[in-house]
Amino acid sequence: MISSFSKVDEYGFERPDDFDYKAYEAFMSRYMAILARRAIRWNLILTQQSLPDGGTMKRFVRKGVPAQYRGKVWMMTSGANFLKSRQPNLYQDLVGDISHQSWDEIIQNDLNRTYPDNIYFVPSSDGKLNSLYNILRASARHNTSVGYCQGLNYVAGLLLIATKDEEQSFWLLTVLIRNILPSYYSSNMQGLITDIAVLGELVRLKSSKLDRLLKDLNLPWPILVTKWFICLFAEVLPVEVNSQLIKVFPKLIFHLSFFFFFFFF
């Protein structure tokens, strides 16, 4: 039977050669009804004057935000809408700033390294590379204490894939850098160092065999996991996983590092 599903998934990534189309089609034939029900419920919520109370909203988010509503929901629940309302023209002003900064060349060099297996980020395509450049360049100008940190291209790229909106991606990236993970992209990266140390201690306590193996190999934790953490796992987990879990960023780093190591190693 020939599958009706494309070789490229809905996020623009090429499916692997061993992708099981038959199993995926069987799963989606059942799951589409669930997605349709969730979309109807979310549509009702978003047509109300205000969002539900915290408990109801948390339950809805945990069940998953339909793809078509993710940008709007993330903006509303993260505080990004509030930031934007205070400076509604900021993004356009930052994009229009043609002055040269030291970060611009680094950002430009990182663009072609961003999701090279994604059709939207192929240099020769009319895809999202220019939008990604605008977002990162504007972010470096707005968040001057950070400027640009390598790895943010993957985070911004994921936001752009999910929201399909430059300005929303910029404001969500701003919330991540300033409010949710401020010590990750600071000059000393203290938050990153702390989380790596916590992961190492957890492995020592929970999986002594793995801990001994890494010590025997003289393989420091930062070499293994720094890129995972800096990129917020955008490069090592399926996009749909990241798109659903991005809503819990305050606890995402620690929990996903624990999950990834013990289930995939």
Side-chain angles (χ1 to χ4, degrees), residues 12-240:
F13 290 95
E14 187 174 344
R15 302 188 196 277
D17 292 336
D18 60 351
F19 186 80
D20 191 337
Y21 288 93
K22 186 175 180 180
Y24 184 70
E25 195 154 14
F27 167 76
M28 288 303 295
S29 65
R30 300 188 302 271
Y31 191 50
M32 286 300 291
I34 298 173
L35 290 176
R37 288 199 301 272
R38 298 310 304 163
I40 291 171
R41 298 293 300 278
W42 271 103
N43 185 58
L44 290 173
I45 282 182
L46 294 175
T47 55
Q48 297 173 7
Q49 293 295 321
S50 60
L51 292 175
D53 62 74
T56 301
M57 193 65 186
K58 185 182 292 185
R59 178 166 53 84
F60 267 73
V61 169
R62 284 176 172 172
K63 287 185 177 182
V65 182
Q68 64 268 36
Y69 298 132
R70 285 175 191 164
K72 184 175 183 179
V73 171
W74 292 348
M75 290 288 290
M76 295 169 72
T77 56
S78 67
N81 263 350
F82 174 73
L83 291 180
K84 181 182 176 182
S85 69
R86 297 175 64 183
Q87 297 177 288
N89 300 318
L90 177 65
Y91 182 65
Q92 288 76 16
D93 293 341
L94 291 169
V95 171
D97 182 353
I98 61 173
S99 63
H100 178 76
Q101 288 192 2
S102 58
W103 302 111
D104 294 350
E105 187 174 344
I106 301 173
I107 292 170
Q108 188 67 56
N109 290 337
D110 269 0
L111 288 180
N112 292 340
R113 302 171 187 153
T114 307
Y115 302 121
D117 56 341
N118 189 293
I119 62 172
Y120 298 123
F121 292 100
V122 175
S124 59
S125 72
D126 296 324
K128 300 181 183 297
L129 281 181
N130 188 60
S131 294
L132 180 59
Y133 179 68
N134 288 341
I135 294 164
L136 294 173
R137 192 169 168 275
S139 177
R141 282 158 170 71
H142 183 47
N143 304 294
T144 54
S145 62
V146 174
Y148 173 70
C149 176
Q150 287 185 306
L152 287 177
N153 54 317
Y154 287 100
V155 179
L158 176 64
L159 291 169
L160 188 57
I161 289 171
T163 65
K164 301 178 178 64
D165 186 282
E166 262 189 51
E167 190 169 6
Q168 284 186 352
S169 299
F170 163 78
W171 283 113
L172 290 168
L173 186 65
T174 298
V175 167
L176 283 168
I177 292 173
R178 288 190 168 187
N179 300 349
I180 298 177
L181 294 169
S183 58
Y184 254 64
Y185 304 103
S186 61
S187 58
N188 60 15
M189 294 187 168
Q190 189 57 53
L192 172 68
I193 294 168
T194 300
D195 280 353
I196 291 175
V198 170
L199 175 61
E201 182 65 10
L202 266 175
V203 172
R204 186 185 70 80
L205 294 172
K206 299 294 185 180
S207 182
S208 57
K209 184 177 180 180
L210 177 58
D211 182 57
R212 286 194 303 271
L213 173 63
L214 293 177
K215 286 178 178 175
D216 290 343
L217 294 172
N218 196 27
L219 192 58
W221 279 106
I223 291 178
L224 278 175
V225 302
T226 294
K227 190 173 183 181
W228 297 357
F229 283 40
I230 284 291
C231 298
L232 305 186
F233 293 81
E235 221 193 355
V236 293
L237 287 177
V239 175
E240 182 63 19

